[in-house]
């Protein structure tokens, strides 16, 4: 496994009225992140919050190209990003223990924090299709093209890990500075990851 220091490109926040950052996603133009009782849309160029939706947002956030998916209260809510309307919900596959979430290959990919697993989940039913084991707590999940990445935050050490989607083997790791925090993860589909920082209420952009 290759490990190197993460190159932090930019830090965003803290934001007014936002005490903590949970799930993170990207809609092709702007970054979405959960902050407990709201879903927030941020312009990565200016760092300004451009929309706030009244949706419970306690863990992972994902975007399928049309709709947002948001974890809170043991549910995955499907959300219209324009109106904030909840269009439906399914139970999470891991109760209250779910953390990060991403969309790829027509499925949701969901981290189970303390179980140290990533589950591929049917978005219609919430049933687990298959699971990948990790040796660290999973705090965020992202796909960058064909690459599966997840965030870890354990014993004050945080990493972005590129893993084999079949075996879970770690292929490379980007180590965040000590105490940085890593509570959510999503790529822009190109060369940048957006990372939540938990109770610091900030976001960081990290170079792939």
């Amino acid at each position: 496994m290759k490990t190197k220091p993460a190159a932090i490109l930019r830090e965003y926040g803290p934001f007014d009225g936002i005490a903590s950052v949970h799930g993170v996603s990207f809609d092709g133009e702007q970054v979405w992140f959960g902050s407990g009782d709201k879903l927030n849309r941020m312009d990565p160029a200016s760092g300004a919050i451009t929309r706030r939706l009244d949706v419970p947002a306690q863990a992972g956030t994902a975007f399928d190209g049309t709709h947002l998916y948001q974890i809170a209260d043991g549910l995955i809510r499907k959300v219209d990003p324009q109106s904030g309307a909840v269009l439906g919900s399914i139970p999470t596959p891991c109760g209250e223990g779910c953390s990060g979430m991403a969309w790829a290959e027509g499925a949701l990919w969901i981290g189970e924090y303390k179980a140290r697993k990533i589950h591929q989940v049917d978005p219609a039913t919430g049933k687990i299709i298959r699971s990948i084991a990790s040796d660290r707590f999973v705090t965020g999940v992202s796909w960058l093209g064909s690459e599966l990445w997840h965030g870890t935050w354990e014993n004050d050490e945080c990493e972005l890990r590129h893993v084999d989607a079949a075996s879970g083997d770690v292929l490379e790791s980007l180590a965040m500075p000590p105490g940085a925090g890593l509570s959510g993860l999503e790529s822009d589909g190109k060369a940048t990851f957006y990372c939540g920082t938990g109770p610091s209420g900030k976001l960081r952009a990290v170079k792939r």
Side-chain angles (χ1 to χ4, degrees):
M1 177 185 73
K2 301 176 183 178
T3 300
K4 60 183 180 181
I8 297 174
L9 302 174
R10 183 170 175 179
E11 188 170 274
Y12 301 93
F15 305 96
D16 289 343
I18 294 174
S20 187
V21 173
H22 303 294
V24 181
S25 195
F26 186 76
D27 67 8
E29 294 181 355
Q30 300 200 7
V31 178
W32 289 88
F33 66 92
S35 59
D37 61 349
K38 285 183 172 58
L39 257 172
N40 310 274
R41 191 176 191 237
M42 184 198 75
D43 178 0
S46 67
I49 300 295
T50 59
R51 185 173 300 156
R52 284 181 171 168
L53 305 179
D54 291 324
V55 175
Q58 300 164 356
T61 310
F63 182 69
D64 69 1
T66 304
H67 301 104
L68 291 162
Y69 295 82
Q70 179 60 55
I71 294 174
D73 308 316
L75 295 174
I76 303 167
R77 293 175 172 86
K78 184 177 182 178
V79 180
D80 182 331
Q82 299 300 318
S83 67
V86 175
L87 305 177
S89 65
I90 54 175
T92 62
C94 38
E96 299 286 344
C98 291
S99 51
M101 182 166 60
W103 176 273
E105 301 175 347
L108 293 167
W109 297 75
I110 298 174
E112 186 171 2
Y113 176 66
K114 289 188 176 180
R116 306 182 184 195
K117 292 181 179 179
I118 299 170
H119 304 293
Q120 183 184 10
V121 174
D122 185 326
T125 65
K127 291 183 178 180
I128 294 173
I129 299 168
R130 66 187 181 99
S131 299
I132 303 164
S134 173
D135 63 353
R136 296 287 300 274
F137 291 149
V138 177
T139 60
V141 182
S142 178
W143 281 85
L144 199 171
S146 62
E147 300 176 358
L148 176 59
W149 288 75
H150 77 86
T152 72
W153 184 356
E154 193 167 346
N155 299 325
D156 211 31
E157 296 178 356
C158 301
E159 297 176 7
L160 285 70
R161 287 181 157 195
H162 174 199
V163 299
D164 185 300
S167 67
D169 292 342
V170 182
L171 305 176
E172 60 183 309
S173 173
L174 305 178
M176 297 289 279
L182 207 167
S183 58
L185 175 67
E186 182 61 294
S187 80
D188 67 354
K190 298 176 183 176
T192 301
F193 289 106
Y194 294 100
C195 307
T197 61
S200 76
K202 297 178 181 180
L203 284 164
R204 292 189 179 98
V206 174
K207 185 178 180 180
R208 160 69 179 89

